[in-house]
Amino acid sequence: MIKINKPAPPQVIIDNQEQWTKDLNEAITLCGGYNKIPPEQKESLLVHYHHNDIKKTLFASSFYKCAFCECKPGDSGNIEVEHFAPKSIYPDLTFDWDNLLPSCRKCNEAKTDFDTIKEPIINPSKTDPEELFTYNYIRICAISGCSQEQAAKNTIDVCNLNSSRLYEVRAMLIKSLTEYADELKEKLDLIEEADTPKKRKIRITKLRNSIEKIDQLLEDSSVYAGYCRWFMSQCCEYIQAKKLTLEEN
């Protein structure tokens, strides 16, 4: 997980949120509860949060990645508008921009109607997850003693962030990232062996190209950027290569 920077709400929410919420609450009152609204009527009342302007703005804020597992559509089902606090329990938040997140179907289904108000989980649009989570090989873990340790643990359990699906992804990433680290080591060894300034300069340029390739995986827009950042923060070859290229500027 990484921090999501959501922009201001789209104009369609600003203009209509109050009326949409009023209509939904009136139906809840008339029918005697959210779950008692007839399916067709409920669908017509809820369809508004699927408005294209809402989806476009929301999904772009995460670079079309799931806010929880960082997959992109096709990896784990279509990206969906997810209610952080469930709309079935908190209908007043159904159209609240702050309550909407982009989520893959797998995470959305795992979270279902878990009450995030009574038992908080991490909202990546409000809190930086990289301050709360770390990894142990392919397992995501709450950082011991962090400010929201229990909420971080809840997030892992509720969103099933240690599923076999994500274990497989992280295992493949370890293979790829380790190969990148091996490539850096080879280039670092060649720089050490350079016997002329010209050879050293050429080899450092090649090292920079390798680092740039790795750095692209660490950008917010890349899938599983949080895991890649953690891995590289522990990678001696990457740290050494970055230090060397900065010194050679």
Side-chain angles (χ1 to χ4, degrees), residues 90-112:
Y90 303 99
D92 283 346
L93 300 178
T94 300
F95 308 105
D96 187 326
W97 179 242
D98 287 342
N99 195 44
L100 304 181
L101 287 174
S103 173
C104 73
R105 188 161 298 167
K106 291 289 187 182
C107 288
N108 203 359
E109 289 176 351
K111 185 172 169 288
T112 59

Side-chain angles (χ1 to χ4, degrees), residues 101-157:
L101 287 174
S103 173
C104 73
R105 188 161 298 167
K106 291 289 187 182
C107 288
N108 203 359
E109 289 176 351
K111 185 172 169 288
T112 59
D113 59 354
F114 182 83
D115 192 335
T116 57
I117 302 297
K118 288 186 177 179
E119 296 184 72
I121 69 171
I122 301 305
N123 184 336
S125 70
K126 300 293 185 181
T127 305
D128 186 352
E130 291 180 280
E131 296 178 356
L132 306 172
F133 295 96
T134 186
Y135 295 86
N136 179 6
Y137 185 47
I138 59 173
R139 183 183 294 112
I140 189 170
C141 314
I143 295 175
S144 179
C146 69
S147 60
Q148 300 184 58
E149 184 176 356
Q150 187 56 55
K153 289 179 178 178
N154 290 345
T155 308
I156 294 168
D157 293 339

Side-chain angles (χ1 to χ4, degrees), residues 87-217:
K87 59 186 180 296
S88 59
I89 303 175
Y90 303 99
D92 283 346
L93 300 178
T94 300
F95 308 105
D96 187 326
W97 179 242
D98 287 342
N99 195 44
L100 304 181
L101 287 174
S103 173
C104 73
R105 188 161 298 167
K106 291 289 187 182
C107 288
N108 203 359
E109 289 176 351
K111 185 172 169 288
T112 59
D113 59 354
F114 182 83
D115 192 335
T116 57
I117 302 297
K118 288 186 177 179
E119 296 184 72
I121 69 171
I122 301 305
N123 184 336
S125 70
K126 300 293 185 181
T127 305
D128 186 352
E130 291 180 280
E131 296 178 356
L132 306 172
F133 295 96
T134 186
Y135 295 86
N136 179 6
Y137 185 47
I138 59 173
R139 183 183 294 112
I140 189 170
C141 314
I143 295 175
S144 179
C146 69
S147 60
Q148 300 184 58
E149 184 176 356
Q150 187 56 55
K153 289 179 178 178
N154 290 345
T155 308
I156 294 168
D157 293 339
V158 169
C159 298
N160 199 19
L161 297 183
N162 279 327
S163 64
S164 60
R165 145 182 98 87
L166 293 173
Y167 279 170
E168 289 175 5
V169 168
R170 293 170 195 151
M172 288 189 290
L173 283 171
I174 283 178
K175 178 179 180 295
S176 297
L177 295 172
T178 300
E179 289 172 351
Y180 283 133
D182 289 344
E183 181 181 320
L184 291 179
K185 186 178 186 308
E186 290 175 6
K187 287 182 167 58
L188 286 166
D189 288 345
L190 287 172
I191 291 169
E192 188 68 25
E193 295 166 4
D195 54 6
T196 67
K198 183 177 181 180
K199 283 183 181 179
R200 181 179 174 84
K201 183 176 181 180
I202 291 171
R203 291 174 185 180
I204 287 176
T205 297
K206 290 181 178 179
L207 180 66
R208 284 199 178 96
N209 292 338
S210 294
I211 291 174
E212 287 175 5
K213 184 168 57 176
I214 293 171
D215 285 346
Q216 289 176 0
L217 302 174

Side-chain angles (χ1 to χ4, degrees), residues 5 18 20 28 32 36-38 56 58 93 100 105 109 122 139 171 173 189 194 197-198 223 228 244:
N5 297 307
E18 184 177 350
W20 291 343
I28 291 171
K36 294 183 179 180
I37 303 173
K56 182 178 178 181
L58 186 66
L93 300 178
L100 304 181
R105 188 161 298 167
E109 289 176 351
I122 301 305
R139 183 183 294 112
L173 283 171
D189 288 345
K198 183 177 181 180
V223 291
C228 293
L244 176 62

